[in-house]
Structures are given as C-alpha cells and as structure tokens.
mmCIF file of all heavy atoms in Angstrom:
data_model
loop_
_atom_site.group_PDB
_atom_site.id
_atom_site.type_symbol
_atom_site.label_atom_id
_atom_site.label_comp_id
_atom_site.label_asym_id
_atom_site.label_seq_id
_atom_site.Cartn_x
_atom_site.Cartn_y
_atom_site.Cartn_z
ATOM 1 N N ALA A 230 20.082 41.301 25.850
ATOM 2 C CA ALA A 230 20.121 40.520 24.603
ATOM 3 C C ALA A 230 19.478 39.160 24.833
ATOM 4 O O ALA A 230 18.705 38.679 23.999
ATOM 5 C CB ALA A 230 21.561 40.362 24.117
ATOM 6 N N PHE A 231 19.781 38.535 25.974
ATOM 7 C CA PHE A 231 19.182 37.235 26.263
ATOM 8 C C PHE A 231 17.672 37.378 26.454
ATOM 9 O O PHE A 231 16.901 36.548 25.967
ATOM 10 C CB PHE A 231 19.824 36.575 27.492
ATOM 11 C CG PHE A 231 19.368 35.167 27.673
ATOM 12 C CD1 PHE A 231 19.898 34.147 26.890
ATOM 13 C CD2 PHE A 231 18.374 34.851 28.582
ATOM 14 C CE1 PHE A 231 19.452 32.841 27.020
ATOM 15 C CE2 PHE A 231 17.925 33.548 28.725
ATOM 16 C CZ PHE A 231 18.461 32.538 27.938
ATOM 17 N N ASP A 232 17.249 38.436 27.146
ATOM 18 C CA ASP A 232 15.813 38.678 27.325
ATOM 19 C C ASP A 232 15.114 38.856 25.977
ATOM 20 O O ASP A 232 13.975 38.408 25.795
ATOM 21 C CB ASP A 232 15.579 39.912 28.206
ATOM 22 C CG ASP A 232 15.937 39.667 29.667
ATOM 23 O OD1 ASP A 232 16.092 38.486 30.065
ATOM 24 O OD2 ASP A 232 16.072 40.654 30.415
ATOM 25 N N ALA A 233 15.800 39.490 25.029
ATOM 26 C CA ALA A 233 15.225 39.669 23.689
ATOM 27 C C ALA A 233 15.047 38.316 22.997
ATOM 28 O O ALA A 233 14.049 38.094 22.300
ATOM 29 C CB ALA A 233 16.117 40.583 22.846
ATOM 30 N N LEU A 234 16.002 37.400 23.195
ATOM 31 C CA LEU A 234 15.874 36.052 22.628
ATOM 32 C C LEU A 234 14.682 35.317 23.257
ATOM 33 O O LEU A 234 13.920 34.646 22.557
ATOM 34 C CB LEU A 234 17.157 35.252 22.842
ATOM 35 C CG LEU A 234 18.351 35.674 21.990
ATOM 36 C CD1 LEU A 234 19.620 35.001 22.493
ATOM 37 C CD2 LEU A 234 18.106 35.353 20.523
ATOM 38 N N ILE A 235 14.531 35.461 24.559
ATOM 39 C CA ILE A 235 13.389 34.828 25.239
ATOM 40 C C ILE A 235 12.087 35.384 24.685
ATOM 41 O O ILE A 235 11.166 34.627 24.349
ATOM 42 C CB ILE A 235 13.442 35.045 26.768
ATOM 43 C CG1 ILE A 235 14.610 34.289 27.375
ATOM 44 C CG2 ILE A 235 12.125 34.621 27.424
ATOM 45 C CD1 ILE A 235 14.828 34.564 28.855
ATOM 46 N N GLU A 236 12.010 36.695 24.584
ATOM 47 C CA GLU A 236 10.781 37.324 24.084
ATOM 48 C C GLU A 236 10.460 36.855 22.661
ATOM 49 O O GLU A 236 9.310 36.603 22.320
ATOM 50 C CB GLU A 236 10.941 38.844 24.109
ATOM 51 C CG GLU A 236 9.668 39.583 23.769
ATOM 52 C CD GLU A 236 9.817 41.079 23.950
ATOM 53 O OE1 GLU A 236 10.508 41.505 24.891
ATOM 54 O OE2 GLU A 236 9.232 41.810 23.127
ATOM 55 N N LYS A 237 11.488 36.698 21.872
ATOM 56 C CA LYS A 237 11.325 36.311 20.473
ATOM 57 C C LYS A 237 10.820 34.869 20.322
ATOM 58 O O LYS A 237 10.032 34.573 19.428
ATOM 59 C CB LYS A 237 12.680 36.462 19.788
ATOM 60 C CG LYS A 237 12.658 36.453 18.304
ATOM 61 C CD LYS A 237 14.050 36.823 17.792
ATOM 62 C CE LYS A 237 14.045 37.043 16.322
ATOM 63 N NZ LYS A 237 15.338 37.452 15.809
ATOM 64 N N TYR A 238 11.262 33.958 21.194
ATOM 65 C CA TYR A 238 10.970 32.529 20.997
ATOM 66 C C TYR A 238 10.106 31.888 22.079
ATOM 67 O O TYR A 238 9.774 30.712 21.958
ATOM 68 C CB TYR A 238 12.289 31.752 20.856
ATOM 69 C CG TYR A 238 13.008 32.142 19.601
ATOM 70 C CD1 TYR A 238 14.139 32.946 19.647
ATOM 71 C CD2 TYR A 238 12.535 31.745 18.352
ATOM 72 C CE1 TYR A 238 14.783 33.327 18.476
ATOM 73 C CE2 TYR A 238 13.167 32.119 17.189
ATOM 74 C CZ TYR A 238 14.286 32.913 17.264
ATOM 75 O OH TYR A 238 14.911 33.297 16.114
ATOM 76 N N HIS A 239 9.733 32.614 23.097
ATOM 77 C CA HIS A 239 8.978 32.030 24.207
ATOM 78 C C HIS A 239 7.679 31.374 23.742
ATOM 79 O O HIS A 239 7.403 30.210 24.055
ATOM 80 C CB HIS A 239 8.693 33.084 25.283
ATOM 81 C CG HIS A 239 7.960 32.534 26.449
ATOM 82 N ND1 HIS A 239 6.600 32.649 26.590
ATOM 83 C CD2 HIS A 239 8.396 31.835 27.527
ATOM 84 C CE1 HIS A 239 6.228 32.059 27.711
ATOM 85 N NE2 HIS A 239 7.291 31.550 28.294
ATOM 86 N N LYS A 240 6.882 32.100 22.983
ATOM 87 C CA LYS A 240 5.578 31.578 22.560
ATOM 88 C C LYS A 240 5.735 30.311 21.712
ATOM 89 O O LYS A 240 5.023 29.331 21.910
ATOM 90 C CB LYS A 240 4.817 32.648 21.789
ATOM 91 C CG LYS A 240 3.418 32.225 21.421
ATOM 92 C CD LYS A 240 2.657 33.348 20.741
ATOM 93 C CE LYS A 240 1.251 32.881 20.399
ATOM 94 N NZ LYS A 240 0.467 33.935 19.769
ATOM 95 N N ALA A 241 6.684 30.312 20.785
ATOM 96 C CA ALA A 241 6.893 29.142 19.914
ATOM 97 C C ALA A 241 7.328 27.924 20.729
ATOM 98 O O ALA A 241 6.867 26.807 20.477
ATOM 99 C CB ALA A 241 7.937 29.459 18.847
ATOM 100 N N ILE A 242 8.189 28.134 21.722
ATOM 101 C CA ILE A 242 8.663 27.020 22.549
ATOM 102 C C ILE A 242 7.532 26.487 23.427
ATOM 103 O O ILE A 242 7.350 25.271 23.539
ATOM 104 C CB ILE A 242 9.898 27.435 23.389
ATOM 105 C CG1 ILE A 242 11.093 27.724 22.473
ATOM 106 C CG2 ILE A 242 10.237 26.399 24.439
ATOM 107 C CD1 ILE A 242 11.597 26.534 21.669
ATOM 108 N N VAL A 243 6.756 27.376 24.024
ATOM 109 C CA VAL A 243 5.614 26.927 24.842
ATOM 110 C C VAL A 243 4.637 26.137 23.979
ATOM 111 O O VAL A 243 4.177 25.061 24.379
ATOM 112 C CB VAL A 243 4.900 28.119 25.524
ATOM 113 C CG1 VAL A 243 3.589 27.679 26.156
ATOM 114 C CG2 VAL A 243 5.792 28.756 26.569
ATOM 115 N N ASN A 244 4.325 26.641 22.785
ATOM 116 C CA ASN A 244 3.399 25.931 21.889
ATOM 117 C C ASN A 244 3.944 24.571 21.490
ATOM 118 O O ASN A 244 3.211 23.581 21.465
ATOM 119 C CB ASN A 244 3.104 26.766 20.646
ATOM 120 C CG ASN A 244 2.191 27.930 20.928
ATOM 121 O OD1 ASN A 244 1.422 27.911 21.875
ATOM 122 N ND2 ASN A 244 2.285 28.963 20.112
ATOM 123 N N PHE A 245 5.232 24.523 21.175
ATOM 124 C CA PHE A 245 5.849 23.248 20.802
ATOM 125 C C PHE A 245 5.728 22.243 21.952
ATOM 126 O O PHE A 245 5.315 21.097 21.753
ATOM 127 C CB PHE A 245 7.321 23.453 20.433
ATOM 128 C CG PHE A 245 8.063 22.164 20.257
ATOM 129 C CD1 PHE A 245 7.867 21.396 19.119
ATOM 130 C CD2 PHE A 245 8.923 21.697 21.231
ATOM 131 C CE1 PHE A 245 8.533 20.183 18.960
ATOM 132 C CE2 PHE A 245 9.585 20.495 21.088
ATOM 133 C CZ PHE A 245 9.395 19.730 19.947
ATOM 134 N N ILE A 246 6.066 22.670 23.153
ATOM 135 C CA ILE A 246 6.017 21.776 24.318
ATOM 136 C C ILE A 246 4.572 21.363 24.604
ATOM 137 O O ILE A 246 4.288 20.187 24.840
ATOM 138 C CB ILE A 246 6.673 22.434 25.544
ATOM 139 C CG1 ILE A 246 8.177 22.611 25.291
ATOM 140 C CG2 ILE A 246 6.428 21.606 26.804
ATOM 141 C CD1 ILE A 246 8.893 23.458 26.333
ATOM 142 N N TYR A 247 3.661 22.334 24.561
ATOM 143 C CA TYR A 247 2.253 22.024 24.840
ATOM 144 C C TYR A 247 1.719 20.964 23.875
ATOM 145 O O TYR A 247 1.058 20.017 24.275
ATOM 146 C CB TYR A 247 1.394 23.293 24.758
ATOM 147 C CG TYR A 247 -0.078 23.007 24.888
ATOM 148 C CD1 TYR A 247 -0.615 22.651 26.128
ATOM 149 C CD2 TYR A 247 -0.923 23.031 23.791
ATOM 150 C CE1 TYR A 247 -1.966 22.345 26.263
ATOM 151 C CE2 TYR A 247 -2.266 22.735 23.909
ATOM 152 C CZ TYR A 247 -2.779 22.394 25.156
ATOM 153 O OH TYR A 247 -4.113 22.084 25.282
ATOM 154 N N ARG A 248 2.034 21.110 22.613
ATOM 155 C CA ARG A 248 1.534 20.160 21.617
ATOM 156 C C ARG A 248 2.187 18.789 21.776
ATOM 157 O O ARG A 248 1.630 17.787 21.362
ATOM 158 C CB ARG A 248 1.726 20.700 20.216
ATOM 159 C CG ARG A 248 0.859 21.926 19.974
ATOM 160 C CD ARG A 248 0.844 22.328 18.536
ATOM 161 N NE ARG A 248 0.162 23.580 18.313
ATOM 162 C CZ ARG A 248 -1.153 23.757 18.323
ATOM 163 N NH1 ARG A 248 -1.948 22.751 18.570
ATOM 164 N NH2 ARG A 248 -1.682 24.936 18.073
ATOM 165 N N ASN A 249 3.334 18.748 22.421
ATOM 166 C CA ASN A 249 4.005 17.469 22.678
ATOM 167 C C ASN A 249 3.457 16.781 23.917
ATOM 168 O O ASN A 249 3.269 15.570 23.915
ATOM 169 C CB ASN A 249 5.511 17.677 22.848
ATOM 170 C CG ASN A 249 6.283 17.304 21.626
ATOM 171 O OD1 ASN A 249 6.354 16.139 21.279
ATOM 172 N ND2 ASN A 249 6.832 18.303 20.962
ATOM 173 N N ILE A 250 3.239 17.535 24.987
ATOM 174 C CA ILE A 250 2.861 16.901 26.257
ATOM 175 C C ILE A 250 1.401 17.103 26.621
ATOM 176 O O ILE A 250 0.907 16.469 27.550
ATOM 177 C CB ILE A 250 3.766 17.374 27.416
ATOM 178 C CG1 ILE A 250 3.567 18.852 27.716
ATOM 179 C CG2 ILE A 250 5.228 17.055 27.120
ATOM 180 C CD1 ILE A 250 4.225 19.320 28.999
ATOM 181 N N ASN A 251 0.702 18.030 25.936
ATOM 182 C CA ASN A 251 -0.723 18.264 26.145
ATOM 183 C C ASN A 251 -1.063 18.660 27.584
ATOM 184 O O ASN A 251 -2.027 18.185 28.156
ATOM 185 C CB ASN A 251 -1.522 17.039 25.706
ATOM 186 C CG ASN A 251 -2.944 17.396 25.362
ATOM 187 O OD1 ASN A 251 -3.232 18.537 25.013
ATOM 188 N ND2 ASN A 251 -3.844 16.439 25.470
ATOM 189 N N ASP A 252 -0.267 19.536 28.169
ATOM 190 C CA ASP A 252 -0.487 20.014 29.529
ATOM 191 C C ASP A 252 -0.025 21.473 29.575
ATOM 192 O O ASP A 252 1.173 21.758 29.557
ATOM 193 C CB ASP A 252 0.305 19.156 30.516
ATOM 194 C CG ASP A 252 0.076 19.541 31.967
ATOM 195 O OD1 ASP A 252 -0.311 20.693 32.250
ATOM 196 O OD2 ASP A 252 0.302 18.676 32.843
ATOM 197 N N GLY A 253 -0.994 22.384 29.605
ATOM 198 C CA GLY A 253 -0.703 23.812 29.510
ATOM 199 C C GLY A 253 0.197 24.364 30.589
ATOM 200 O O GLY A 253 1.182 25.052 30.301
ATOM 201 N N SER A 254 -0.114 24.096 31.842
ATOM 202 C CA SER A 254 0.700 24.658 32.922
ATOM 203 C C SER A 254 2.097 24.034 32.933
ATOM 204 O O SER A 254 3.095 24.719 33.176
ATOM 205 C CB SER A 254 0.018 24.473 34.279
ATOM 206 O OG SER A 254 -0.188 23.108 34.552
ATOM 207 N N ARG A 255 2.185 22.771 32.642
ATOM 208 C CA ARG A 255 3.488 22.099 32.605
ATOM 209 C C ARG A 255 4.312 22.590 31.408
ATOM 210 O O ARG A 255 5.539 22.692 31.502
ATOM 211 C CB ARG A 255 3.281 20.580 32.533
ATOM 212 C CG ARG A 255 4.512 19.786 32.754
ATOM 213 C CD ARG A 255 4.976 19.814 34.205
ATOM 214 N NE ARG A 255 6.204 19.063 34.300
ATOM 215 C CZ ARG A 255 7.306 19.494 34.887
ATOM 216 N NH1 ARG A 255 7.320 20.649 35.489
ATOM 217 N NH2 ARG A 255 8.388 18.753 34.896
ATOM 218 N N ALA A 256 3.649 22.931 30.309
ATOM 219 C CA ALA A 256 4.360 23.458 29.135
ATOM 220 C C ALA A 256 5.059 24.767 29.489
ATOM 221 O O ALA A 256 6.203 24.997 29.093
ATOM 222 C CB ALA A 256 3.393 23.664 27.976
ATOM 223 N N GLU A 257 4.397 25.614 30.253
ATOM 224 C CA GLU A 257 5.015 26.878 30.695
ATOM 225 C C GLU A 257 6.248 26.596 31.560
ATOM 226 O O GLU A 257 7.285 27.229 31.398
ATOM 227 C CB GLU A 257 4.022 27.729 31.481
ATOM 228 C CG GLU A 257 3.033 28.474 30.644
ATOM 229 C CD GLU A 257 3.632 29.653 29.878
ATOM 230 O OE1 GLU A 257 4.743 30.112 30.214
ATOM 231 O OE2 GLU A 257 2.983 30.102 28.925
ATOM 232 N N GLU A 258 6.109 25.650 32.490
ATOM 233 C CA GLU A 258 7.239 25.302 33.369
ATOM 234 C C GLU A 258 8.416 24.774 32.562
ATOM 235 O O GLU A 258 9.563 25.155 32.802
ATOM 236 C CB GLU A 258 6.805 24.244 34.390
ATOM 237 C CG GLU A 258 5.812 24.721 35.422
ATOM 238 C CD GLU A 258 5.278 23.581 36.276
ATOM 239 O OE1 GLU A 258 5.951 22.530 36.374
ATOM 240 O OE2 GLU A 258 4.178 23.734 36.845
ATOM 241 N N LEU A 259 8.131 23.880 31.616
ATOM 242 C CA LEU A 259 9.209 23.310 30.815
ATOM 243 C C LEU A 259 9.837 24.348 29.895
ATOM 244 O O LEU A 259 11.044 24.306 29.656
ATOM 245 C CB LEU A 259 8.703 22.107 30.013
ATOM 246 C CG LEU A 259 8.379 20.866 30.846
ATOM 247 C CD1 LEU A 259 7.815 19.771 29.959
ATOM 248 C CD2 LEU A 259 9.594 20.362 31.586
ATOM 249 N N ALA A 260 9.043 25.283 29.396
ATOM 250 C CA ALA A 260 9.604 26.359 28.568
ATOM 251 C C ALA A 260 10.584 27.185 29.394
ATOM 252 O O ALA A 260 11.662 27.563 28.907
ATOM 253 C CB ALA A 260 8.492 27.241 28.007
ATOM 254 N N GLN A 261 10.241 27.435 30.649
ATOM 255 C CA GLN A 261 11.171 28.156 31.523
ATOM 256 C C GLN A 261 12.464 27.362 31.695
ATOM 257 O O GLN A 261 13.552 27.934 31.667
ATOM 258 C CB GLN A 261 10.524 28.435 32.883
ATOM 259 C CG GLN A 261 9.472 29.502 32.818
ATOM 260 C CD GLN A 261 8.808 29.753 34.157
ATOM 261 O OE1 GLN A 261 9.159 29.159 35.174
ATOM 262 N NE2 GLN A 261 7.824 30.630 34.173
ATOM 263 N N LYS A 262 12.332 26.048 31.841
ATOM 264 C CA LYS A 262 13.532 25.206 31.957
ATOM 265 C C LYS A 262 14.378 25.273 30.692
ATOM 266 O O LYS A 262 15.603 25.268 30.760
ATOM 267 C CB LYS A 262 13.155 23.746 32.246
ATOM 268 C CG LYS A 262 12.742 23.488 33.658
ATOM 269 C CD LYS A 262 12.525 22.001 33.878
ATOM 270 C CE LYS A 262 12.159 21.719 35.315
ATOM 271 N NZ LYS A 262 12.069 20.290 35.581
ATOM 272 N N VAL A 263 13.722 25.316 29.527
ATOM 273 C CA VAL A 263 14.447 25.428 28.266
ATOM 274 C C VAL A 263 15.304 26.689 28.284
ATOM 275 O O VAL A 263 16.504 26.655 27.977
ATOM 276 C CB VAL A 263 13.484 25.459 27.049
ATOM 277 C CG1 VAL A 263 14.216 25.893 25.780
ATOM 278 C CG2 VAL A 263 12.832 24.101 26.847
ATOM 279 N N PHE A 264 14.707 27.802 28.678
ATOM 280 C CA PHE A 264 15.437 29.064 28.668
ATOM 281 C C PHE A 264 16.479 29.147 29.780
ATOM 282 O O PHE A 264 17.518 29.782 29.606
ATOM 283 C CB PHE A 264 14.477 30.247 28.675
ATOM 284 C CG PHE A 264 13.770 30.406 27.363
ATOM 285 C CD1 PHE A 264 12.431 30.073 27.229
ATOM 286 C CD2 PHE A 264 14.450 30.837 26.234
ATOM 287 C CE1 PHE A 264 11.790 30.179 26.007
ATOM 288 C CE2 PHE A 264 13.826 30.952 25.012
ATOM 289 C CZ PHE A 264 12.490 30.629 24.895
ATOM 290 N N VAL A 265 16.235 28.490 30.898
ATOM 291 C CA VAL A 265 17.259 28.435 31.952
ATOM 292 C C VAL A 265 18.468 27.651 31.448
ATOM 293 O O VAL A 265 19.614 28.087 31.594
ATOM 294 C CB VAL A 265 16.703 27.803 33.254
ATOM 295 C CG1 VAL A 265 17.821 27.449 34.222
ATOM 296 C CG2 VAL A 265 15.713 28.749 33.916
ATOM 297 N N ARG A 266 18.216 26.495 30.817
ATOM 298 C CA ARG A 266 19.328 25.713 30.259
ATOM 299 C C ARG A 266 20.057 26.497 29.176
ATOM 300 O O ARG A 266 21.276 26.442 29.074
ATOM 301 C CB ARG A 266 18.828 24.383 29.707
ATOM 302 C CG ARG A 266 18.465 23.425 30.808
ATOM 303 C CD ARG A 266 18.178 22.050 30.290
ATOM 304 N NE ARG A 266 17.777 21.195 31.404
ATOM 305 C CZ ARG A 266 17.413 19.952 31.274
ATOM 306 N NH1 ARG A 266 17.417 19.379 30.087
ATOM 307 N NH2 ARG A 266 17.059 19.250 32.321
ATOM 308 N N CYS A 267 19.285 27.190 28.374
ATOM 309 C CA CYS A 267 19.877 28.018 27.326
ATOM 310 C C CYS A 267 20.777 29.084 27.954
ATOM 311 O O CYS A 267 21.916 29.278 27.525
ATOM 312 C CB CYS A 267 18.760 28.668 26.511
ATOM 313 S SG CYS A 267 19.327 29.695 25.165
ATOM 314 N N TYR A 268 20.283 29.745 28.978
ATOM 315 C CA TYR A 268 21.057 30.800 29.656
ATOM 316 C C TYR A 268 22.336 30.237 30.275
ATOM 317 O O TYR A 268 23.414 30.810 30.134
ATOM 318 C CB TYR A 268 20.197 31.463 30.732
ATOM 319 C CG TYR A 268 20.906 32.564 31.466
ATOM 320 C CD1 TYR A 268 21.090 33.809 30.876
ATOM 321 C CD2 TYR A 268 21.400 32.364 32.755
ATOM 322 C CE1 TYR A 268 21.750 34.829 31.536
ATOM 323 C CE2 TYR A 268 22.067 33.366 33.433
ATOM 324 C CZ TYR A 268 22.236 34.598 32.820
ATOM 325 O OH TYR A 268 22.892 35.600 33.475
ATOM 326 N N LEU A 269 22.216 29.096 30.936
ATOM 327 C CA LEU A 269 23.372 28.494 31.607
ATOM 328 C C LEU A 269 24.430 27.998 30.628
ATOM 329 O O LEU A 269 25.612 27.917 30.969
ATOM 330 C CB LEU A 269 22.926 27.335 32.508
ATOM 331 C CG LEU A 269 22.064 27.725 33.707
ATOM 332 C CD1 LEU A 269 21.561 26.480 34.431
ATOM 333 C CD2 LEU A 269 22.840 28.623 34.667
ATOM 334 N N ASN A 270 23.990 27.663 29.405
ATOM 335 C CA ASN A 270 24.918 27.084 28.428
ATOM 336 C C ASN A 270 25.193 27.971 27.221
ATOM 337 O O ASN A 270 25.848 27.526 26.280
ATOM 338 C CB ASN A 270 24.368 25.733 27.960
ATOM 339 C CG ASN A 270 24.338 24.732 29.085
ATOM 340 O OD1 ASN A 270 25.379 24.352 29.602
ATOM 341 N ND2 ASN A 270 23.146 24.332 29.491
ATOM 342 N N ILE A 271 24.720 29.203 27.237
ATOM 343 C CA ILE A 271 24.858 30.073 26.072
ATOM 344 C C ILE A 271 26.322 30.299 25.695
ATOM 345 O O ILE A 271 26.652 30.420 24.521
ATOM 346 C CB ILE A 271 24.123 31.426 26.271
ATOM 347 C CG1 ILE A 271 23.996 32.192 24.948
ATOM 348 C CG2 ILE A 271 24.799 32.288 27.307
ATOM 349 C CD1 ILE A 271 22.833 31.800 24.126
ATOM 350 N N LYS A 272 27.204 30.289 26.664
ATOM 351 C CA LYS A 272 28.631 30.504 26.365
ATOM 352 C C LYS A 272 29.220 29.324 25.598
ATOM 353 O O LYS A 272 30.223 29.467 24.915
ATOM 354 C CB LYS A 272 29.421 30.762 27.638
ATOM 355 C CG LYS A 272 29.088 32.107 28.243
ATOM 356 C CD LYS A 272 29.908 32.449 29.444
ATOM 357 C CE LYS A 272 29.452 33.813 29.940
ATOM 358 N NZ LYS A 272 30.263 34.366 30.942
#
C-alpha cells in the first residue's frame, strides 16, 4: 500500500522539488527523503 502511494505521487513530488531548487539529481534525493519521512511517520 505504501509502495502504491509512492508510485502515485513520486513524479509530482520530484517535479515540485525540482522547480523549487532547480537541481535535478538533488530533487530525486530529496523526494526519497520525503517518502522516507512519510514512511517513518505514517502511523
């Protein structure tokens, strides 16, 4: 279920971060951090 949430929102989150920081590789890293924080705090 969590993987389905990641699949559903990954692209939108990466795009949002990229447009904010203007760094493609860093946007991917930060998107992963977003989902890690989400996973750790989902409860």
Side-chain angles (χ1 to χ4, degrees):
F231 189 78
D232 289 345
L234 288 169
I235 292 174
E236 187 174 323
K237 195 172 189 178
Y238 294 106
H239 182 262
K240 185 176 180 179
I242 294 297
V243 170
N244 286 335
F245 171 75
I246 294 170
Y247 174 73
R248 294 190 187 284
N249 258 292
I250 66 169
N251 203 25
D252 183 336
S254 60
R255 191 72 182 130
E257 282 288 343
E258 292 172 22
L259 290 177
Q261 287 179 3
K262 284 186 178 185
V263 167
F264 288 107
V265 167
R266 287 189 183 177
C267 181
Y268 181 76
L269 294 174
N270 295 295
I271 193 85
K272 290 184 180 189

